[in-house]
Amino acid sequence: METIVFIGAGSMAEAVIAGIVEQGAVVPKNVFVMNRSDDERLLSLHNKYGVSIVCKDKEALKNADLVVLATKPKDIHQAMADTLPYLDDKTAVLSVIAGVSIQTIENGLGARPIARSMPNTSATIGKSASGIAWNQAISEELKKHILGLLESIGMVKEVEEDDLHAVTALSGSGPAYVYYLAEALEEAAIGKGLSKDIARALIIQTLEGAAAMLKETGTEPAELRNNVTSPGGTTQAGLEALENGKFKETIADCIGKAEARSRELGAQS
């Protein structure tokens, strides 16, 4: 992947750019960014990461090995219409747009190698959890290149395209759920008298430690939970409050609504 062009310069584009540049997956000057009108945003990305800005002649698009679609779903059709005249027939496309199907991209950009992925914003620090699906035009060699790019910003799992809606709901949006949990824990801890600094440090280490236990031991979450829970103890009291508040049902509803919204976005495109 000599030349990569990002179409769209929002938070997801920045997270991926930050990750691939920081991890040394690409040379910053070979990464180009463009959007419809926000020159100030493009200049900010250039100054921050050393990436290049697509000029008005769109020369970077003509020479692109990979185009990354990173617009908002509502802007995808205009972005593809603006892009298509400059693309070589063999230029590959990677979409990181929620909900938008490979078929929609094929309709807009023609028959070419297309991958559809859903990273998350932890790509910024090389810790993304991504799902990816392919069209029939993707060769095994190209798969390796794109997987290598995404693996430089975290973990990647190949899935069926329809499963990307669930991936979007789970790991694409997942960091926000974790941050919301951290926010709630912090507010509760401060309410019980801990300082914000101490609460924040304890929460970060607790989340980090729990995630490491899941990853490194391979033990089922339910077993790890039971190992912490003594009958009649503090953990049991806390868990009973979560059960009374229908914690699992709320999480299922959260994932369900996010997955449904991903499907809605796809239908609208």
Side-chain angles (χ1 to χ4, degrees), residues 2-251:
E2 289 292 327
T3 302
I4 301 175
V5 179
F6 281 77
I7 300 174
S11 58
M12 180 55 72
E14 180 172 7
V16 176
I17 288 169
I20 62 177
V21 168
E22 178 65 26
Q23 300 303 316
V26 292
V27 178
K29 70 176 182 179
N30 292 342
V31 177
F32 291 78
V33 290
M34 61 181 286
N35 59 20
R36 289 196 69 189
S37 58
D38 193 347
D39 291 340
E40 187 175 331
R41 172 64 173 165
L42 297 178
L43 185 60
S44 172
L45 293 175
H46 166 72
N47 291 335
K48 194 170 183 180
Y49 303 108
V51 297
S52 303
I53 298 172
V54 175
C55 299
K56 290 183 179 180
D57 63 9
K58 304 293 194 299
E59 193 65 29
L61 279 175
K62 300 172 188 176
N63 298 322
D65 297 299
L66 179 68
V67 166
V68 181
L69 298 177
T71 67
K72 294 178 181 178
K74 67 181 180 64
D75 297 328
I76 181 60
H77 289 288
Q78 187 61 56
M80 291 193 296
D82 293 342
T83 301
L84 181 59
Y86 301 97
L87 291 185
D88 184 273
D89 291 342
K90 296 180 181 179
T91 301
V93 172
L94 168 63
S95 171
V96 294
I97 305 173
V100 177
S101 69
I102 288 173
Q103 183 63 62
T104 295
I105 299 167
E106 288 177 338
N107 291 343
L109 294 179
R112 65 179 63 251
I114 297 171
R116 179 181 161 201
S117 183
M118 194 69 249
N120 63 38
T121 53
S122 299
T124 303
I125 57 169
K127 296 291 185 180
S128 178
S130 307
I132 193 165
W134 322 91
N135 73 351
Q136 295 298 316
I138 291 274
S139 67
E140 289 302 315
E141 183 179 2
L142 190 51
K143 276 187 182 182
K144 289 179 182 178
H145 282 302
I146 294 175
L147 284 172
L149 188 71
L150 291 176
E151 285 168 352
S152 75
I153 58 170
M155 176 267 285
V156 191
K157 293 293 184 182
E158 295 185 61
V159 298
E160 296 298 321
E161 184 182 9
D162 192 62
D163 291 336
L164 281 173
H165 296 295
V167 170
T168 298
L170 177 63
S171 57
S173 300
Y177 313 150
V178 175
Y179 302 146
Y180 198 31
L181 171 62
E183 183 183 344
L185 288 169
E186 187 173 286
E187 289 175 0
I190 291 170
K192 294 303 177 184
L194 291 178
S195 70
K196 182 174 182 176
D197 287 347
I198 289 175
R200 177 76 57 86
L202 291 171
I203 290 164
I204 290 171
Q205 185 60 36
T206 299
L207 292 173
E208 211 171 68
M213 285 289 286
L214 282 167
K215 184 175 182 178
E216 294 176 22
T217 68
T219 305
E220 289 295 313
E223 184 178 343
L224 289 171
R225 170 173 54 79
N226 287 331
N227 290 343
V228 183
T229 309
S230 301
T234 59
T235 306
Q236 182 176 327
L239 287 171
E240 286 174 357
L242 291 177
E243 289 171 2
N244 291 337
K246 300 187 181 300
F247 182 75
K248 282 190 175 181
E249 291 89 338
T250 299
I251 295 297

